[in-house]
Amino acid sequence: MMGVQGPPLPLIALAWPLLLGLLALVPGVRGMALRLLVLAPLPALAYAATGVAGEATQVPWLLLGVTLAADRPAMLLLGLTAALWLAAAIYAQAYLAKSKNLPAFSAFWCLTLAGNIGVFLTADVASFYLAFAAVSLAPYFLVVHERTPKAMRAGQIYIMLAILGEASLLMGFLIGAGAADSLLIGDIRAALLTAPLGNLAIGLLVLGFGLKVGLMPLHVWLPLAHPAAPLPASAVLSGAIVKAGVIGLILFLPVGAVGWGQALIGAGLVGAYAGVALGLTQTNPKTILAYSTISQMGLIVAAVGASIIGSLGAEAVAFQAFHHGLAKGALFLSVGLLAACGRGHFWPVLVMTGLVAASIAGMPLNGGALAKAAVKPGFEGYALTALALSGFGSALLMARFLWVAARKGQTSRIAPPALMLLPWLALVAGALVGPWLLWSAWIGQDYGKLLVVDTLWQAAWPALAGIVVAIAAAVFRLRRPKIPEGDIVIWLEPLAARFASVVMQMRVPKMATVSRARVTRLQARLAAIETGLLRWQIAGLAALLLALLVAA
Amino acid sequence: MNALLPVLILMTSFLPAIATFFLPQRAFASRNALNLGGAVLKLSLVAYMLWRVSEGDAFEARLSLAPGLYLLLRVDELALLFITLSAFLWLITTIYAIAYLADSPNQSRFFGFFSLCVSATTGVAMSGSLVTFFIFYELLTLSTWPLVIHKQNKDSIAAGVSYLRYALPGSAALLVAIVWLESATGPIQFTQHADLRLLDDTSLKIIFALFIGGLGVKAALIPLHGWLPGAMAAPAPVSSLLHAVAVVKAGAFGIVRVIYDVFGVDLVRELGVGLPLAVLASATILWGAIRALQQDEIKKRLAYSTVSQVSYIVLGAALAGPLAAIGALAHLVHQGLMKITLFFCAGIYAERAGIKRIDALNGIGPLMPWTSASFTLGAMGMIGLPPMAGFVSKMYLGRGALEMGQLWVLGVLAGSTLLNAAYFLPLIWRIWFAQAPAELTVIYQSRVANLALIGPAVIAASAALAAGLLAAAPFSPLDWATLIVTRNYTP
């Protein structure tokens, strides 16, 4: 009864970061808490490399009965997540060495990591919900780590929306579990398609997961929170943590819910373009990257929509997300790297950053182009055109990022620390080359089709056009409109504050209390009646006596 | 043996109660030994009975009071759920109370009534008939009153008056309901479903309403909850026990008994009285949470939180479906563990750092890490975050509501989750993130950490964590609640 059935490694992969997180708080270990972060993702990485997709580990006594299993898309994203967290942890060794509050930061880093691993490994809804809560709520502590007013505000908006998302997901899960009469995610997905309340449940799930992936207009927290966190945390937030929402959509939304698939395609593509437009107005390189994440996640959500319609395999979506995770992680880390570079290293680092940026824009021959080629077959009509042209916007936004990031660098002559350079290099290589290595195994096509001139040109021209426009904008000094980080959040904040104050001041209806005066009056009346009664008693007694006398 | 055990288990708290009244104030050692000994003995007896009952045994004792009037003590699965909770919490609360009241006066009076209150709770749990239930229910009212006014200051006297003002009409309603019902059907025992059909529908509906009115006072259903926030004037261990197990739970437990063992689920469904009760419970859940949000004092906020959370139990019972019933019964235990944690911690904050108001909590976390960690776990459980116990309750209540086709209940659960987050997260934020004022450190350093206060809080928090994390393991509250429902209430 109390055992574990199946391979123990998935359970270890989940428990290990939690253990290290607790260890980080133990007095003797607190001083080296940061070091533990490097160890935390190792078992998960090992499982992603050696695990068999679909095999299940069961822990019947834990929670409501835990089942761990990852199918192929989840396994790929698990590998991405573990690798990115590892790279960010190594980077943090140098970047955060002098930071304050490191034990707490490390503990919540590990908790978030465990949740992030968990969403890919869990196959029952209770443990998925637990993992999702961890990966949604624990990053709050990473966002507010620097305790600046800006970070605190970002954290507050983040946590409020995260809680809202949790409540929405819980309701969706409950309806699903009720419809399926099972806690297994596979059963729930199957039941949602035909259940009477299925559409309500799917809507709630889209709301909850949409918040996580930054689906427009649920994105407002993302441009605030991702830049506010320290760089290594921003990298995992934008690269890996948002993928928790992607896997949620893939795992729970039933293939065949065509209406929902189309809605996701539409919302995703709108987000892809709106993210670019809003990002172009920003001046902070990290905020620009956050908007780029919104844009890229829009494309991924659109691909999820295609997979729900049934025109695309979930493997292709995972493949696309895999590339984005590595590339976005590398871009975030490059912000700190460029700032730490002396003249000797600046240009090589900037050029390689440019390559990753080009990959995000889907320029031919690098990982991003493959990612786009992988999902293209799932689209048709306007959606296909919109997807193909998205490279234009991405290139424009990436050019803006490079421009802003390059201006911030070149302050010193020193070489960047190896602990920052090496993990960054690994991510750059992963983003550019990784998709090539996985292409035939994951997409099931040979490489030949990728190298046809026509295909290359189709991928290249929107991005090239973007670059041309970007250069033109720089030459002609186009003015950018001023839009605050988080755009529409500035309208939502006063609304939320107003709502809160209404609730806080809600009047208590006065209970029907009997007033003191009325009590006194009542007492007086009772007393009078009693006095009367007494008189009657006396009178009665007298009458009785009289009667007795008469009778006698 | 089977007849002896229920009596024995009642005596483990009743005899120490009586003996304690005769001890002088200075007799610390013997008083503590009596109460702790009773609690430990009780817990071991409970453990033995848990094992036996899980094997399918039941224990029953009949004590004759007067011709035709007898006390029927019966330990079945449902009774044992409540007894186990009260026995466990009595032990840790006693430890806490001994430390909390270290030098205060009138300790023999306090511990005497404290143990008496626990005996009454045990009696309520073990009652096998309506009359027995009523007797112990009244004993509970009377034995808690001296605890509420224990401090004998203006606030606590006022609280005591308000408590009686609510409790006595409640008792009257309960008595009328019992007499009316039994005048038609004869004495009602919980195990044998009496034929209530001897009465017409209207009478039955009125009787049901009287039951809910009578029991709803203790369960703090709106608008009968007014006494509870005032009762906060009592010392921390009393608030803890009142809120977690004794009084409010006796009310909720009574409602469960009335629905499942007096009326029966089928009759409740036929009469159509379940839905109004579910609506009332839902209104209480939301209203309690909104009122909690408006409080500035920690204990007041926790009190309104109790109003809100106890109605989860009533809601689950009123829905009258198997999954909802499991959720309700599991929450009976879960809420007890989580709420007692929070009250223990609130007491420690007040005792050790003089913190009573929410805005004074700033930065206390790093100074009092164990207490604050326990408080955080308890609050997380109240919000319903996994892996805490509250999550398990919510999961079953939600599924149970859907099973009965009551979709709107999900909205109530979601609203309550958000409100709970809104009134607990700011506390957690203050505890761990806000800057501590300089004088706090001074006050804090002038007092000594007391293991006997912190220990119970940590134990209760761990229990609340374990109840959720190991919900599927044997003998977890959820497992036991499932056992109750599958054995007794599944056709």
Side-chain angles (χ1 to χ4, degrees):
Chain A
M1 183 66 203
M2 298 301 275
V4 176
Q5 290 139 31
L9 190 53
L11 192 64
I12 296 170
L14 281 175
W16 175 245
L18 293 175
L19 193 71
L20 291 182
L22 284 178
L23 202 60
L25 299 172
V26 172
V29 191
R30 291 169 67 96
M32 42 189 266
L34 196 60
R35 309 261 170 83
L36 300 173
L37 304 189
V38 178
L39 303 175
L42 294 180
L45 199 59
Y47 184 66
T50 62
V52 180
E55 69 181 351
T57 302
Q58 280 173 334
V59 196
W61 43 271
L62 200 62
L63 278 171
L64 301 176
V66 169
T67 308
L68 302 176
D71 55 5
R72 285 189 83 214
M75 201 65 104
L76 182 63
L77 292 178
L78 176 69
L80 156 74
T81 299
L84 184 54
W85 279 86
L86 179 62
I90 297 170
Y91 188 92
Q93 302 304 311
Y95 187 82
L96 287 175
K98 295 193 185 81
S99 183
K100 283 198 290 184
N101 295 323
L102 280 177
F105 179 83
S106 307
F108 285 107
W109 175 283
C110 290
L111 180 58
T112 313
L113 170 62
N116 206 354
I117 295 169
V119 292
F120 301 116
L121 282 176
T122 47
D124 70 284
V125 69
S127 41
F128 181 89
Y129 185 67
L130 169 58
F132 202 87
V135 79
S136 287
L137 304 181
Y140 170 81
F141 300 92
L142 308 183
V143 171
V144 301
H145 175 66
E146 277 160 13
R147 303 286 197 279
T148 56
K150 207 178 138 191
M152 296 316 276
R153 168 171 172 258
Q156 195 181 11
I157 292 171
Y158 177 79
I159 198 79
M160 278 162 70
L161 288 175
I163 294 271
L164 197 68
E166 289 294 302
S168 173
L169 284 179
L170 180 62
M171 285 192 290
F173 291 159
L174 284 171
I175 297 176
D181 199 22
S182 160
L183 293 177
L184 289 179
I185 295 174
D187 296 345
I188 291 175
R189 178 174 47 190
L192 281 181
L193 196 56
T194 51
L197 294 170
N199 278 321
L200 176 62
I202 294 177
L204 290 164
L205 294 175
V206 166
L207 180 67
F209 292 131
L211 270 167
K212 192 86 220 157
V213 297
L215 184 66
M216 291 257 174
L218 306 170
H219 66 286
V220 292
W221 60 274
L222 207 149
L224 298 169
H226 286 194
L231 265 179
S234 309
V236 291
L237 271 164
S238 239
I241 294 178
V242 287
K243 304 298 184 294
V246 175
I247 197 68
L249 290 171
I250 292 179
L251 287 178
F252 281 91
L253 266 50
V255 174
V258 177
W260 285 104
Q262 283 164 343
L264 285 184
I265 291 178
L269 289 174
V270 167
Y273 282 88
V276 167
L278 293 165
L280 284 173
T281 65
Q282 300 300 319
T283 49
N284 178 352
K286 291 171 79 180
T287 313
I288 296 175
L289 286 180
Y291 274 107
S292 162
T293 297
I294 294 172
S295 166
Q296 294 294 312
M297 292 308 287
L299 294 177
I300 294 174
V301 168
V304 172
S307 80
I308 289 166
I309 290 175
S311 56
L312 188 68
E315 271 100 348
V317 183
F319 186 79
Q320 183 193 17
F322 173 80
H323 166 262
H324 173 255
L326 292 176
K328 193 48 64 69
L331 287 179
F332 263 107
L333 296 189
S334 69
V335 174
L337 203 57
L338 283 169
C341 275
R343 289 211 180 84
H345 292 77
F346 183 76
W347 283 106
V349 169
L350 188 64
V351 166
M352 291 183 76
T353 306
L355 281 178
V356 180
S359 186
I360 288 272
M363 287 282 265
L365 296 180
N366 52 35
L370 270 62
K372 207 168 255 182
V375 297
K376 242 180 183 171
F379 291 85
E380 55 183 23
Y382 291 119
L384 181 61
T385 318
L387 178 72
L389 295 183
S390 67
F392 171 76
S394 305
L396 208 55
L397 189 58
M398 283 297 108
R400 167 99 188 132
F401 163 71
L402 288 172
W403 175 254
V404 174
R407 274 196 312 194
K408 299 235 162 175
Q410 260 183 315
T411 47
S412 62
R413 288 189 149 274
I414 46 158
L419 285 175
M420 281 164 71
L421 194 60
L422 293 177
W424 175 78
L425 275 174
L427 289 181
V428 171
L432 297 178
V433 183
W436 280 101
L437 301 176
L438 294 172
W439 176 259
S440 62
W442 275 79
I443 306 304
Q445 294 171 355
D446 55 15
Y447 294 96
K449 213 178 136 211
L450 294 169
L451 300 170
V452 181
V453 176
D454 196 36
T455 320
L456 292 177
W457 174 244
Q458 269 183 17
W461 76 260
L464 288 174
I467 294 170
V468 169
V469 172
I471 293 171
V475 171
F476 295 110
R477 294 177 183 278
L478 274 183
R479 298 276 293 279
R480 59 178 191 93
K482 285 202 176 67
I483 294 181
E485 295 177 336
D487 49 272
I488 58 170
V489 78
I490 53 161
W491 301 331
L492 299 177
E493 271 183 300
L495 274 180
R498 170 126 189 84
F499 177 72
S501 82
V502 166
V503 172
M504 294 299 277
Q505 285 161 12
M506 225 142 107
R507 291 279 309 280
V508 187
K510 216 50 190 151
M511 289 269 306
T513 45
V514 185
S515 71
R516 175 64 56 190
R518 202 175 288 170
V519 170
T520 323
R521 237 179 298 148
L522 191 68
Q523 277 172 345
R525 201 164 299 159
L526 286 176
I529 292 171
E530 189 161 84
T531 326
L533 273 176
L534 279 175
R535 283 205 203 103
W536 293 338
Q537 278 170 350
I538 295 165
L541 212 61
L544 194 65
L545 281 174
L546 208 66
L548 283 173
L549 277 174
V550 171
Chain B
M1 186 64 185
N2 278 11
L4 191 63
L5 263 174
V7 182
L8 204 57
I9 213 154
L10 196 60
M11 289 304 140
T12 49
S13 29
F14 189 70
L15 290 181
I18 302 304
T20 305
F21 283 126
F22 295 101
L23 289 175
Q25 161 77 4
R26 299 187 48 79
F28 288 103
S30 40
R31 190 170 51 231
N32 296 347
L34 256 176
N35 284 287
L36 285 175
V40 170
L41 181 63
K42 185 172 184 177
L43 204 54
S44 0
L45 288 175
V46 165
Y48 170 72
M49 288 206 297
L50 268 175
W51 168 63
R52 290 286 301 276
V53 169
S54 74
E55 304 276 300
D57 278 359
F59 301 86
E60 194 174 280
R62 197 181 285 256
L63 308 174
S64 210
L65 294 181
L69 185 63
Y70 54 88
L71 285 182
L72 182 65
L73 301 177
R74 195 183 145 77
V75 181
D76 56 7
E77 295 86 355
L78 178 58
L80 208 44
L81 181 85
F82 195 24
I83 297 175
T84 310
L85 175 72
S86 74
F88 172 63
L89 295 188
W90 182 39
L91 177 61
I92 59 175
T93 313
T94 305
I95 299 171
Y96 183 89
I98 289 170
Y100 189 88
L101 296 172
D103 310 313
S104 72
N106 299 323
Q107 284 201 28
S108 289
R109 184 183 77 192
F110 178 88
F111 280 103
F113 281 112
F114 195 69
S115 299
L116 196 59
C117 165
V118 173
S119 330
T121 312
T122 314
V124 164
M126 287 195 295
S127 300
S129 69
L130 266 180
V131 171
T132 316
F133 179 86
F134 182 75
I135 291 170
F136 281 112
Y137 194 79
E138 284 318 294
L139 182 62
L140 183 61
T141 310
L142 298 179
S143 59
T144 34
W145 186 74
L147 296 174
V148 172
I149 62 157
H150 180 74
K151 285 184 190 161
Q152 286 174 289
N153 53 20
K154 204 168 144 242
D155 277 355
S156 53
I157 301 282
V161 171
S162 150
Y163 177 58
L164 286 184
R165 235 182 231 163
Y166 278 91
L168 294 182
S171 305
L174 191 57
L175 187 61
V176 171
I178 293 173
V179 171
W180 190 346
L181 198 60
E182 294 202 341
S183 65
T185 62
I188 290 183
Q189 295 188 9
F190 295 143
T191 43
Q192 303 149 1
H193 273 287
D195 185 14
L196 269 55
R197 278 294 173 197
L198 294 168
L199 286 155
D200 60 298
D201 274 10
T202 320
S203 310
L204 282 176
K205 280 181 192 166
I206 297 173
I207 292 172
F208 189 81
L210 282 170
F211 268 120
I212 299 303
L215 297 165
V217 170
K218 282 211 175 40
L221 285 171
I222 55 167
L224 308 171
H225 65 288
W227 61 274
L228 200 140
M232 291 295 92
V238 176
S239 318
S240 312
L241 204 68
L242 284 187
H243 278 257
V245 51
V247 176
V248 290
K249 284 299 164 55
F253 181 82
I255 291 176
V256 172
R257 277 284 194 213
V258 166
I259 292 177
Y260 286 90
D261 289 334
V262 177
F263 279 73
V265 182
D266 295 330
L267 186 58
V268 166
R269 220 170 281 157
E270 260 173 64
L271 291 173
V273 287
L275 189 61
L277 181 57
V279 171
L280 181 64
S282 301
T284 309
I285 289 174
L286 295 177
W287 183 244
I290 289 172
R291 291 289 289 142
L293 198 56
Q294 298 169 336
Q295 306 304 315
D296 301 323
E297 272 175 55
I298 302 171
K299 280 180 90 179
K300 278 266 167 70
R301 186 167 283 200
L302 293 181
Y304 277 106
S305 163
T306 304
V307 171
S308 172
Q309 291 276 342
V310 168
S311 271
Y312 275 38
I313 305 167
V314 181
L315 173 63
L319 286 170
L323 282 175
I326 293 175
L329 295 175
H331 196 62
L332 192 103
V333 178
H334 292 163
Q335 190 269 352
L337 296 174
M338 298 184 299
K339 192 40 74 67
I340 206 161
T341 307
L342 292 172
F343 270 110
F344 280 161
C345 294
I348 301 173
Y349 285 139
E351 194 62 5
R352 186 122 182 263
I355 295 174
K356 294 195 167 118
R357 294 177 55 82
I358 287 165
D359 48 18
L361 277 172
N362 288 2
I364 192 70
L367 293 174
M368 299 169 68
W370 288 97
T371 307
S372 300
S374 304
F375 190 89
T376 307
L377 283 180
M380 276 173 58
M382 287 294 173
I383 300 170
L385 289 177
M388 298 300 298
F391 161 70
V392 176
S393 318
K394 218 163 258 184
M395 196 84 188
Y396 273 80
L397 284 174
R399 282 183 67 191
L402 289 170
E403 188 181 46
M404 304 312 289
Q406 309 291 341
L407 181 65
W408 57 275
V409 171
L410 284 198
V412 174
L413 292 181
S416 161
T417 301
L418 294 179
L419 284 166
N420 269 278
Y423 69 72
F424 273 124
L425 289 183
L427 270 72
I428 297 177
W429 188 88
R430 279 179 191 280
I431 288 172
W432 295 107
F433 283 100
Q435 187 68 41
E439 66 267 23
L440 178 65
T441 329
V442 177
I443 298 171
Y444 162 79
Q445 278 165 351
S446 64
R447 309 190 191 186
V448 206
N450 192 337
L451 193 63
L453 290 178
I454 298 170
V458 172
I459 291 171
S462 314
L465 176 64
L469 196 60
L470 304 176
F475 290 101
S476 74
L478 177 70
D479 180 61
W480 197 260
T482 314
L483 178 91
I484 295 171
V485 172
T486 45
R487 269 195 200 167
N488 300 330
Y489 306 122
T490 313

